[in-house]
Amino acid sequence: MGSFLWVLESTEKYRFPYRVTIRKGEKIILSLFVQDKWPGAGKHIFCMRDTEKPSSNYQEIERVPIISINRYGKRLSVVLDRKQNKRCDFLFLKKKYKNKEGEYEQIFWRTEQGLKEHRPKVKLTAKGNHHLHILIDINERYPWKFANCNVERAQLKAGDYALLSESGIIAVAERKTFTNFIGDIGNLPLLHMKLGELAKYKHSSFVVEANYSDFLNPCKLKVYTPSYLSKVLAEIFAYHPGFQIIFAGNRKLANEWTLRFFQAVMSHEKDNIPTIVSEVASKYETKKDFTGGMYYDIRREILEATEDTFTINELRKKFPLTSDTKIRKVLSDLREEGYIENFGKGKKSVWKKT
């Protein structure tokens, strides 16, 4: 996957003298006219969406790699690969016109320091909605209750409860009692298969009507030891990071948690944010071998500081504390992206910028 970049340019416009773009390669994902280079302490910057044709008159001020992009409701959170001025988010709001029908958009650029000093009134991003369409698996005996919701029985492919929207099922929940869970542990490979199927959904959860401590209490166990169960539960968490495992305590609390979970998911899905930004945020993943800024330090060195032709030994001398694995990873990624080529083998291997 190509790298995401944060690009700041000057526009020579009086009201919006700068433009911020988020790019994947040279493709612009989000483009906004802004009133300053970076929000000052305790300030939020008003932004205007860029709807103009591309201009060659803009002068680039900075280009910074992006570590992560995440969407939280109406907010798009961005983390840049630098020591200062690295965290910020964009808040996308819809306001109704006072004197006519319709809505208009407001976008605010906020930073970590600004949020700390301004201390805005705390509001839930996902407020929730009781009017949900919930499906309950036909094999579920004594199902949970969901007041004020449209509830119906259905044959579910995975999970015991599902949240249905106009686009289909968007969240599932698997319900387990203490006894059910202990029984499933008896066939651990099959349990992993079921959990793997759950994890394929965008929002999924495994809700247990018991406390974690119950599985470590010798008085409640007949077959397994607390030591063995603690290892099993740890394995489940490690093997299935794609969904949430909730030890709710009892039936009533498990029912309540699942309802609130479905409400928050529905609210999140309905929040207004630019479609392309929402799609990118949902698909974007930080590189799994990312350990800080060193990966991008090596990239910058290759693309900006080195000669057009160089060797891996030259990079080793410049980054003596970096493993060969990371250096080769950077070289491999840059080659796949078309920035460099490799000629020769072994000690005679040479890299050249394209």
Side-chain angles (χ1 to χ4, degrees):
M1 188 173 189
S3 299
F4 281 76
L5 296 171
W6 170 280
V7 180
L8 177 67
E9 302 165 297
S10 63
T11 65
E12 297 183 352
K13 296 178 181 290
Y14 174 73
R15 189 180 177 195
F16 294 96
Y18 304 101
R19 185 178 78 153
V20 168
T21 57
I22 294 176
R23 308 183 183 190
K24 180 184 176 184
E26 291 304 315
K27 180 181 180 181
I28 295 179
I29 304 301
L30 177 65
S31 181
L32 300 172
F33 289 118
V34 297
Q35 297 173 328
D36 206 343
K37 296 180 180 179
W38 189 261
K43 295 181 179 179
H44 301 333
I45 290 181
F46 178 74
C47 308
M48 183 70 70
R49 188 182 299 279
D50 177 11
T51 57
E52 300 179 1
K53 294 182 179 180
S55 173
S56 59
N57 296 327
Y58 300 157
Q59 183 174 359
E60 186 172 313
I61 298 175
E62 64 177 4
R63 179 178 291 244
V64 184
I66 294 175
I67 293 177
S68 68
I69 303 174
N70 293 290
R71 177 199 165 196
Y72 304 109
K74 297 180 177 66
R75 298 188 297 115
L76 184 70
S77 178
V78 181
V79 181
L80 306 181
D81 180 34
R82 59 187 181 192
K83 294 182 179 179
Q84 295 181 336
N85 296 339
K86 60 182 292 184
R87 297 187 182 92
C88 67
D89 71 27
F90 295 94
L91 178 64
F92 296 83
L93 299 176
K94 290 287 187 180
K95 298 287 186 179
K96 292 184 178 181
Y97 288 108
K98 293 182 178 179
N99 301 322
K100 61 179 180 179
E101 295 183 355
E103 296 178 324
Y104 64 95
E105 184 179 53
Q106 286 188 337
I107 306 173
F108 295 95
W109 181 17
R110 315 180 302 178
T111 66
E112 176 186 23
Q113 188 62 29
L115 291 172
K116 285 181 179 178
E117 296 188 14
H118 187 63
R119 292 187 179 276
K121 182 179 179 182
V122 177
K123 294 182 179 179
L124 281 176
T125 302
K127 297 180 180 180
N129 185 344
H130 282 281
H131 303 290
L132 305 176
H133 192 168
I134 297 176
L135 305 179
I136 301 178
D137 188 71
I138 57 176
N139 297 316
E140 180 74 350
R141 298 180 63 187
Y142 311 111
W144 289 334
K145 305 294 184 181
F146 297 94
N148 302 316
C149 296
N150 181 14
V151 178
E152 65 175 294
R153 290 279 190 159
Q155 182 74 55
L156 299 180
K157 294 182 179 180
D160 297 313
Y161 302 85
L163 176 62
L164 188 64
S165 72
E166 295 177 356
S167 58
I169 293 176
I170 58 175
V172 294
E174 176 80 7
R175 170 196 177 190
K176 289 295 177 185
T177 64
F178 178 80
T179 304
N180 292 152
F181 201 2
I182 292 294
D184 286 343
I185 290 173
N187 193 336
L188 202 53
L190 180 58
L191 177 60
H192 281 307
M193 291 176 62
K194 292 180 178 179
L195 297 181
E197 191 174 2
L198 274 177
K200 296 301 181 182
Y201 288 85
K202 184 177 180 181
H203 302 283
S204 56
S205 60
F206 188 80
V207 189
V208 185
E209 296 178 352
N211 293 311
Y212 175 76
S213 59
D214 293 337
F215 295 90
L216 307 182
N217 186 348
C219 298
K220 295 188 176 183
L221 303 177
K222 296 180 180 179
V223 179
Y224 306 111
T225 65
S227 176
Y228 174 73
L229 285 184
S230 67
K231 294 176 182 178
V232 169
L233 294 175
E235 179 179 299
I236 290 174
F237 274 88
Y239 284 11
H240 305 280
F243 67 92
Q244 303 176 79
I245 303 175
I246 306 298
F247 294 95
N250 56 51
R251 174 190 170 95
K252 182 178 180 179
L253 293 178
N255 191 164
E256 175 71 12
W257 185 92
T258 303
L259 173 61
R260 300 304 180 189
F261 171 60
F262 283 167
Q263 289 174 349
V265 168
M266 182 61 76
S267 177
H268 176 73
E269 292 297 320
K270 288 186 175 182
D271 277 336
N272 292 315
I273 194 169
T275 303
I276 189 169
V277 176
S278 178
E279 291 175 353
V280 168
S282 65
K283 295 177 182 178
Y284 178 80
E285 293 182 0
T286 305
K287 292 182 180 293
K288 292 181 173 59
D289 65 342
F290 187 82
T291 58
M294 187 56 68
Y295 176 91
Y296 288 110
D297 287 343
I298 300 172
R299 283 182 64 102
R300 276 195 293 269
E301 179 66 26
I302 294 172
L303 296 176
E304 300 175 10
T306 61
E307 301 293 333
D308 288 343
T309 302
F310 61 95
T311 66
I312 191 172
N313 282 330
E314 293 174 355
L315 292 176
R316 288 172 180 147
K317 292 178 181 179
K318 293 179 180 179
F319 301 93
L321 301 179
T322 303
S323 67
D324 259 21
T325 302
K326 186 173 288 294
I327 293 175
R328 292 184 184 280
K329 173 65 174 172
V330 176
L331 292 172
S332 176
D333 288 350
L334 289 176
R335 179 171 57 186
E336 290 181 6
E337 295 167 21
Y339 290 112
I340 59 176
E341 292 179 334
N342 181 241
F343 301 92
K345 295 182 179 180
K347 295 181 179 180
K348 296 183 179 181
S349 177
V350 175
W351 294 87
K352 184 178 180 180
K353 297 180 185 179
T354 58

